[in-house]
Amino acid sequence: MPRMTARSRTEKHRASTPLELFFDLCFVVAVAQAGGRLVHALAEGHPGTGIAGYLAVFFGIWWAWVNFSWFASAYDTDDTLYRLVTFVQITGVLIFAAGVPRAFDDGDWTLGVIGYVVMRLALTSQWLRVVHCSEGAERRVAQRYAIGITLAQLGWIGMLFVPADMNGTRTAVYVALALCELSVPAVAERDRRTSWHPHHIGERYGLFTIIVLGETIAAATVAVQESVDEHDALGELLPVAAGGLLIVFAAWWIYFAVPIHNYLRGSRQAFIWGYGHYVIFGSAAAIGAGIEVAVEGATGKAHVSTEAASAAVTVPSAVFLLTVWLLHARHFKRDVAEQLALPLAAVAILACTFAGEYAVLAAGLVASATVAAGEVLSRRPVPGGPVSTSVPPSHA
C-alpha cells in the first residue's frame, strides 16, 4: 500500500479525479435538500427561520466538502484504502442529507449530526494515516488536524443534548462549534502549511460552482414544469424562467472570467478565498431556491407578496455578484470603471426587486448587461495599465 505523503505544489497537470467528481455529485443531494426546505420557508412567509436554517445546514455541507477537497489536494494517493474511506465520507453526506428536513422543520439535528460525524471521522482517519507516514513538522500538522476534528465532533454530539427551545442556547452552541471548526486549519497550519495545489484547488472550487449552478437550473426547471402542468400559466412563467436563466448564465460567466490559481499563492489569500466561498456556494444554490419561490409567486401558490417573491431571487443574485468581486474578480481589474462594474450591478439587481411581475427578468437583463460591459471594458486600452497575456480578456 502506498505511503500517504504530501504531493508537490508544482506538480504538472494536476487535475480533479473521477472520485472527486463523484464526491461532488453526491454532495448535490444535500444541497438540493437544503434548497428545497428554503423554498418552502420563503414561500410560506417565514424568511427569518428559513434563512437561518438554510445557513446552518449549508455550513455542514460546505465545510465537509472544503476539508475533503483541501486534504485531497495535498494527499490524494488514490489507492484502495483512500477510495474506501472516501466512500464512507460519501455515505456520511447522504445520511446528513436525509436529516436536513428534520433539522429544518423540527430542529431535530440527530440524523444530520450522525451523518456529519461519519464524514468528519472518516477524514480524521485519513489524517491519522498521514501521521503514520510522515515525520517532523508535517506529522505535527496532521496530528493537530486529527485532534481538532475529533474534538469538534464530540462537541456536535454534545449539542444534541441541549434542548432546542432552551432560550437560544443551542443556537449559541452551534455558532461556537462552527467557529471551532473554522479555526482548526489555522491552528493546525500555524507553522507549516499543507502542500495543496493552487491550480487543483481553483479547479475544484470551479467545478463545485458549476455543479451548484446546475442544481439551480434543474430545480427551476422542475418548478416551471410543475406549475405549467398544474396551472397552465406559461405566460406568467416566461419572464421568471427567462430571467432566471440569464442570471445563471451570467453567474457562470462572471465566476470564470479570470483564472484564480495565480492568485492563490499564500496561506492568507487561500484561507480568505476558500472560506469566502461559503457565501458564493450558498448564494448560488439560493438563486435556484429563489427562482422556485418566484415561480410559485407567479402562479399564486406562494403566500408572500410579489416583492418578497422577487427578493428571493434578487438578493442571492446580488450577494453572489458582490462576493465574487470581493474574493477574486477585483484583483484582476485595471481601473475604477472595471472595479465598479460588479458592485453597481449588485445594487441594480437589488433595485429590480420592485419591478413587479418582471422583476426576475429585469434582474436577468442587468446581469447580462454586466457581462457585456465587462467584455467591452476588458478589451479597451488603459493608458499606463498593465497588459496581460496570461489571462483571457473577459473581466466581467
Side-chain angles (χ1 to χ4, degrees), residues 9 70 196 198 201-202 260-266 269-270 273-274:
R9 283 176 56 85
W70 288 78
W196 48 269
I201 285 295
I260 194 59
H261 61 272
N262 289 326
Y263 173 71
L264 300 178
R265 293 303 181 186
Q269 296 98 321
W273 183 85

Side-chain angles (χ1 to χ4, degrees), residues 55-367:
L55 293 176
V57 167
F58 202 89
F59 174 83
I61 300 169
W62 163 78
W63 189 239
W65 180 90
V66 164
N67 278 239
F68 167 81
S69 297
W70 288 78
F71 177 88
S73 187
Y75 291 105
D76 183 2
T77 56
D78 198 34
D79 59 5
T80 300
L81 182 56
Y82 179 87
R83 291 182 177 186
L84 291 175
V85 174
T86 301
F87 288 160
V88 173
Q89 290 176 271
I90 290 173
T91 302
V93 75
L94 296 179
I95 297 172
F96 183 90
V100 167
R102 291 184 179 184
F104 237 105
D105 299 339
D106 306 321
D108 181 1
W109 282 88
T110 304
L111 194 57
V113 167
I114 290 173
Y116 187 73
V117 170
V118 169
M119 287 187 282
R120 305 291 283 143
L121 292 185
L123 179 63
T124 300
S125 73
Q126 300 278 43
W127 280 114
L128 290 175
R129 187 178 172 194
V130 176
V131 171
H132 177 72
C133 297
S134 60
E135 57 186 21
E138 182 180 4
R139 180 186 178 91
R140 288 194 299 273
V141 170
Q143 288 174 331
R144 291 170 191 157
Y145 265 112
I147 293 171
I149 294 172
T150 301
L151 291 176
Q153 303 328 295
L154 292 174
W156 291 117
I157 294 172
M159 185 191 74
L160 296 178
F161 296 94
V162 178
D165 57 351
M166 191 175 170
N167 297 324
T169 302
R170 177 178 282 191
T171 300
V173 171
Y174 183 99
V175 173
L177 288 171
L179 292 175
C180 289
E181 289 270 18
L182 293 173
S183 69
V184 170
V187 172
E189 300 187 28
R190 64 178 183 268
D191 52 10
R192 185 185 189 278
R193 68 180 181 182
T194 53
S195 59
W196 48 269
H197 194 287
H199 189 281
H200 177 252
I201 285 295
E203 182 184 40
R204 294 290 295 119
Y205 274 73
L207 289 173
F208 198 69
T209 300
I210 290 174
I211 289 174
V212 171
L213 291 175
E215 166 57 27
T216 290
I217 291 178
T221 300
V222 171
V224 171
Q225 175 195 342
E226 291 178 350
S227 296
V228 170
D229 291 343
E230 295 176 7
H231 301 279
D232 194 21
L234 184 60
E236 292 84 352
L237 296 176
L238 279 177
V240 176
L245 202 57
L246 289 175
I247 290 171
V248 174
F249 287 166
W252 175 88
W253 195 296
I254 290 167
Y255 184 89
F256 292 99
V258 289
I260 194 59
H261 61 272
N262 289 326
Y263 173 71
L264 300 178
R265 293 303 181 186
S267 294
R268 182 175 181 275
Q269 296 98 321
F271 271 122
I272 295 173
W273 183 85
Y275 282 20
H277 268 71
Y278 169 64
V279 182
I280 289 181
F281 291 158
S283 59
I287 291 172
I291 293 173
E292 290 189 64
V293 174
V295 167
E296 293 189 9
T299 56
K301 289 180 60 177
H303 301 152
V304 293
S305 65
T306 301
E307 287 75 17
S310 301
V313 179
T314 58
V315 171
S317 299
V319 170
F320 179 89
L321 294 186
L322 193 59
T323 310
V324 169
W325 170 79
L326 187 63
L327 286 180
H328 63 236
R330 66 187 177 90
H331 300 295
F332 300 91
K333 305 302 184 183
R334 300 174 299 170
D335 60 7
V336 174
E338 290 186 6
Q339 287 286 5
L340 289 177
L342 287 179
L344 289 178
V347 173
I349 285 176
L350 286 177
C352 292
T353 303
F354 306 100
E357 60 184 305
Y358 295 103
V360 178
L361 178 60
L365 292 174
V366 170

